[in-house]
Amino acid sequence: MVVNALNSDVWTYMADFEDSNAPTWDNMVNGQLNLHDAIRKQVDFKQGEKAYKLRTDRTLPTLICRARGWHLEEKHMTVDGEPISASLFDFGLYFFNNAEELVKRGTGPYFYLPKMESHLEARLWNDVFNLAQDYIGMRRGTIRGTVLIETIPAAFEMDEIIYELRDHSSGLNCGRWDYIFSVIKRFRQNPNFVLPDRSAVTMTVPFMDAYVKLLIKTCHRRGVHAMGGMAAQIPIKDNQQANDAAMDNVRADKLREVRAGHDGTWVAHPALASIAADVFNTNMPTPNQLHVRREDVHITANDLLNMNVPGKITEDGIRKNLNIGLGYMEGWLRGIGCVPINYLMEDAATAEVSRSQLWQWCRHGVPTESGKKLDRGYALKLLHEQADELEKKAGKGNKYQLAAKYFETQVTGEEYAEFLTSLLYNEITSASEKTPAAKL
C-alpha cells in the first residue's frame, strides 16, 4: 500500500496511523518500518510473482505522517508503569528515525494532527515539536503540522489553534464525517440537534457550509493553507453507469471546494486523483488561493450551530448506519483499519457518525419516515438482523457477533463511549501480565 500510494500521481501521501488503521502492535511497528524504508527508497519487495517498486521517473509525493489523537494510548509501551500516549509514540518514532533524513532529501518532518478540540492541545503539540527539534539539534520551525478541524469546539478556536502552532503551521483542513460526529456527540442530549439520514447531511447544509467558509477565511487571513475534505468514493468496476455517476459527484464536490477558496484537497483512492487534480488545475492556476480572502464571509456562532438540515430518518438509513458500524468494527477487530462498503471507503469517522446518529435517534425516540418510533427494542432488533446477515455472507473467522456485542451498548440512547476505538482497543492489544509491554 505504501509503494502504491507513493507511485500515485499526487502531490502528497498522508500515511494514516489513526482513523484508517487498527493499532495492533504489528500494524504500528511495521507501519513505522515501511515509512522508514520508503523515505530511504529501500521499500521495494516481491510478493509471489508480483514486484512492488518505487517509480523513478518522477519526484515521489511528499510524505505526511498522521499520528493518533491525544485521546488514545499505546498500551504495548509503558513509561513509569503507565501506557504511553499514542500521539507521542507515533510522533516520536517517526521523528527520531526520519527527521534528519527527510531534511537531507529536501523535504522535512511533516505531520497531520487530528481530533483536537482546543488551542491548548495545539499548544501541547507545539511544545512537543520544540522539544523534539531541540533534542536532536534541529532548527525550530522545521516541523510542519496541518491541523484537521474535525470537532465543533475546534471550529470556535481556529484563530487560536493557528496562533499556538504559528512557527510550525502549514494550515487547517476541513473534515467531514468526524465533524458531523463531533456535532452530534457534543449536542447529543439536545433534541434540536437531531439530524436526518447521513446521506442528507452534505457539505452544503447550513452548519457545514458555515464551517467551510469560516475555515477558509481564517486560514487565508493568517497566511496558511485551507485544505478541502476527503473524497471517500472508490471505483465501481462492475457497473460503468454507477461509476460514472459516482465520479461526477466527486468532480462536483471538488469544484465546490476550489470555488470556495480551498488550496488543495484529498482523495481516498488513487483512481480519483486525476479528477481532483483536473478540477483544481483548471480552476486554481496559482499554487494556492491565499489571495482569496473571503472578506464577504461573516460567520457567527449561530451559523456554526444552524441545524436546519432538510431530510428524513428512514429504516434504510438506520440499516445503513448499522452495516457501516458493524462492518468497520468487525474489520478493526481483525486488525484492518478501513473497509470498502457500498463503494465508499469507511473508516473510524464514518462508523462514529453511524453510531452517534443511532444513539441520538433512540435517545429522543424519533419516528422514521413511515411513522415507526426508534426505541431500544427496535434498534437492537435491527442490529441483530444486520449482524446475522453480514455474518452469513462473511467467511470463517469473522467477528461480526463480537462487533455486535460492543455496538449494542452504543446505539440505544443509554451508554455512550467517547470513541469507538477506545471502546474496542483492549480486544486488539497483546500486552498483558504474561507478555509485558516494552518499557522505557
Side-chain angles (χ1 to χ4, degrees):
M1 291 176 69
V2 170
V3 172
N4 288 342
L6 289 172
N7 284 343
S8 301
D9 289 322
V10 293
W11 285 266
T12 62
Y13 163 47
M14 187 261 284
D16 186 5
F17 282 107
E18 202 212 22
D19 272 9
S20 296
N21 177 55
T24 63
W25 182 243
D26 283 348
N27 282 352
M28 304 315 297
V29 174
N30 286 326
Q32 290 278 354
L33 178 62
N34 286 337
L35 296 187
H36 172 280
D37 288 347
I39 289 163
R40 292 158 179 81
K41 297 186 178 180
Q42 59 189 36
V43 74
D44 298 357
F45 74 104
K46 285 189 71 174
Q47 189 173 42
E49 296 300 313
K50 190 169 179 62
Y52 294 85
K53 293 184 178 182
L54 291 178
R55 62 193 298 177
T56 57
D57 60 335
R58 52 158 282 179
T59 302
L60 296 179
T62 298
L63 185 60
I64 302 174
C65 177
R66 177 174 178 169
R68 282 171 286 179
W70 288 120
H71 60 290
L72 295 170
E73 297 176 326
E74 178 48 72
K75 292 188 177 181
H76 298 93
M77 178 172 281
T78 59
V79 180
D80 298 329
E82 297 293 332
I84 191 174
S85 156
S87 308
L88 296 181
F89 178 85
D90 297 344
F91 167 83
L93 269 182
Y94 183 79
F95 180 85
F96 184 80
N97 287 307
N98 302 308
E100 290 178 331
E101 186 69 25
L102 285 162
V103 171
K104 190 187 303 180
R105 290 175 178 268
T107 59
Y110 305 142
F111 293 90
Y112 191 75
L113 309 175
K115 298 292 188 292
M116 272 190 252
E117 290 193 320
S118 165
H119 71 282
L120 296 177
E121 295 177 46
R123 182 181 300 173
L124 178 56
W125 269 120
N126 201 67
D127 290 345
V128 169
F129 290 169
N130 282 333
L131 178 63
Q133 290 164 130
D134 293 350
Y135 185 81
I136 68 169
M138 179 170 280
R139 179 181 60 82
R140 286 190 176 189
T142 304
I143 293 174
R144 291 289 160 181
T146 299
V147 176
L148 181 52
I149 300 296
E150 57 180 341
T151 69
I152 185 66
F156 283 83
E157 298 191 21
M158 293 184 200
D159 275 313
E160 292 85 349
I161 287 170
I162 293 172
Y163 176 79
E164 294 293 351
L165 285 162
R166 58 195 178 278
D167 296 327
H168 299 103
S169 177
S170 56
L172 305 180
N173 190 179
C174 277
R176 178 171 302 197
W177 306 120
D178 260 311
Y179 190 76
I180 297 169
F181 157 52
S182 177
V183 170
I184 299 172
K185 175 165 71 172
R186 293 294 166 232
F187 295 100
R188 64 185 184 273
Q189 303 285 2
N190 189 332
N192 295 321
F193 282 79
V194 172
L195 292 171
D197 284 0
R198 168 185 152 183
S199 59
V201 188
T202 67
M203 294 301 291
T204 59
V205 301
F207 78 99
M208 297 297 286
D209 182 58
Y211 148 68
V212 169
K213 289 176 178 175
L214 180 62
L215 185 141
I216 294 169
K217 180 178 182 177
T218 304
C219 286
H220 290 178
R221 186 170 69 238
R222 303 302 180 190
V224 297
H225 298 110
M227 297 300 295
M230 179 74 73
Q233 290 87 347
I234 55 179
I236 305 172
K237 296 180 179 179
D238 55 355
N239 187 328
Q240 188 61 48
Q241 185 177 358
N243 186 69
D244 290 345
M247 297 306 108
D248 286 344
N249 287 337
V250 173
R251 190 172 286 103
D253 193 50
K254 297 311 168 189
L255 187 60
R256 173 193 58 78
E257 289 181 337
V258 72
R259 286 177 173 172
H262 281 298
D263 303 295
T265 191
W266 296 98
V267 295
H269 192 283
L272 276 59
S274 60
I275 296 173
D278 178 62
V279 171
F280 269 78
N281 287 338
T282 300
N283 295 276
M284 189 181 78
T286 50
N288 54 60
Q289 299 195 88
L290 293 178
H291 58 282
V292 179
R293 304 297 292 272
R294 295 309 309 262
E295 291 173 356
D296 58 310
V297 170
H298 302 284
I299 300 298
T300 67
N302 285 338
D303 294 322
L304 290 174
L305 302 176
N306 182 349
M307 294 294 115
N308 183 20
V309 180
K312 298 177 180 178
I313 297 165
T314 66
E315 183 171 308
D316 182 60
I318 295 169
R319 290 186 183 275
K320 282 182 178 177
N321 278 345
L322 290 168
N323 277 355
I324 290 165
L326 287 168
Y328 174 77
M329 292 168 71
E330 193 275 337
W332 204 88
L333 289 165
R334 290 187 292 108
I336 299 171
C338 58
V339 292
I341 301 175
N342 296 327
Y343 301 104
L344 292 173
M345 192 58 71
E346 306 286 1
D347 65 4
T350 51
E352 291 287 24
V353 173
S354 298
R355 181 263 298 224
S356 298
Q357 280 201 311
L358 292 165
W359 189 97
Q360 183 189 52
W361 294 341
C362 262
R363 180 68 167 189
H364 300 291
V366 297
T368 66
E369 182 183 22
S370 63
K372 176 75 173 177
K373 180 181 176 181
L374 185 58
D375 56 18
R376 186 178 193 278
Y378 185 33
L380 292 180
K381 173 181 176 291
L382 295 181
L383 168 65
H384 291 296
E385 285 179 5
Q386 296 306 120
D388 291 344
E389 182 180 325
L390 290 167
E391 184 182 34
K392 287 177 184 176
K393 295 178 181 177
K396 291 183 179 180
N398 75 80
K399 296 193 174 184
Y400 279 110
Q401 294 305 325
L402 180 59
K405 174 186 170 184
Y406 279 101
F407 208 32
E408 69 181 12
T409 69
Q410 298 297 306
V411 301
T412 61
E414 298 162 320
E415 295 179 46
Y416 189 90
E418 189 72 3
F419 290 96
L420 280 176
T421 47
S422 300
L423 180 71
L424 299 174
Y425 184 46
N426 285 340
E427 289 286 347
I428 63 169
T429 58
S430 55
S432 69
E433 293 181 3
K434 293 181 181 179
T435 55
K439 293 185 178 180
L440 289 179

